[in-house]
Every structure is written in C-alpha cells, then in structure tokens.
Amino acid sequence: MKSATGLTGSGSRDWFIQRISAVILAVYTVVVLGWILFHGGFNFEQWFGFMMTLPMKILSLLAVLSLVAHAWIGMWQVFTDYVTTRQMGPSASGLRLVLTSAVIIAVFAYAIWAIQIFWAN
C-alpha cells in the first residue's frame, strides 16, 4: 500500500517547498513592514495605492499561495504525527479525515478570497 504524503508525494520535496514558501513569506513581510515604517501616518488611499500596484499584487499572490502550501504541509505533518491510531485508537482515521478536510476547505477558501481581493479591481 502506497502512503500518501503532504503536497507533492515526496517528503524531501515538501520540505523544500516549505522552505521556499517561508522565504517568500519573509520577503513579503519585510516589504510590507518596510513600506509601513517609511510611510508613517499613511491613509487608506496611500495603502490601497501601494497594495494595488502590479508588483505588490504579484508578490501578494505569491505570498498567499506560499501560505497555503506552507500551512497545508505543516498541518498534514501535524495530523499524521499526532492523530494516530496508536495514540487515539480506531477513531483517529475518521478524525484525521475530518481535520484534513477542514484544512483543505479553509486554505482553499482563504486563497480564493485573497485572490479575489487583489485581482477583482
């Protein structure tokens, strides 16, 4: 029986994706915090103007997709490590399915919502 793994079917690829996604999220955080620090006292129009530029839309999209991948891989690892029949008995498989489904639905909904916010304009 083949064991399903996180996102790519390979633990090393999942590890690599999680590291790349962490770097993208760190860059996004630095860019946004840097803008805030250099534009103290900004208003909504300035913030909107900054976030709706094409480079920020692209970086925001990359950040959202990175967050989705990072969260999915991390939660999958938590569920497979800690929601086991060894620790929880036979009900663990059903609980893991419910938790995994909830995470999939949540990250999908958040991704669609974020894409809609940035690209609907």
Side-chain angles (χ1 to χ4, degrees):
M1 181 170 149
K2 186 176 178 183
S3 173
T5 60
L7 186 66
T8 65
S10 164
S12 58
R13 282 186 297 228
D14 285 351
W15 179 89
F16 184 72
I17 287 173
Q18 207 166 32
R19 295 326 173 260
I20 295 298
S21 66
V23 169
I24 292 169
L25 291 169
V27 167
Y28 186 75
T29 301
V30 168
V31 168
V32 170
L33 287 177
W35 189 89
I36 290 170
L37 289 174
F38 287 111
H39 294 85
F42 60 90
N43 59 30
F44 175 77
E45 288 78 24
Q46 291 169 316
W47 176 253
F48 185 82
F50 168 65
M51 292 303 289
M52 291 300 135
T53 62
L54 186 59
M56 278 311 295
K57 282 182 164 186
I58 292 169
L59 187 56
S60 295
L61 178 62
L62 285 173
V64 166
L65 295 177
S66 294
L67 184 62
V68 165
H70 197 90
W72 167 245
I73 292 168
M75 293 310 298
W76 182 87
Q77 289 173 342
V78 168
F79 296 153
T80 56
D81 287 348
Y82 297 107
V83 183
T84 64
T85 54
R86 187 172 10 106
Q87 294 169 329
M88 304 184 75
S91 64
S93 296
L95 178 60
R96 189 173 20 204
L97 177 63
V98 168
L99 292 172
T100 302
S101 299
V103 169
I104 290 169
I105 291 166
V107 298
F108 183 73
Y110 293 148
I112 296 300
W113 188 23
I115 291 167
Q116 184 179 20
I117 289 169
F118 283 104
W119 294 93
N121 294 328

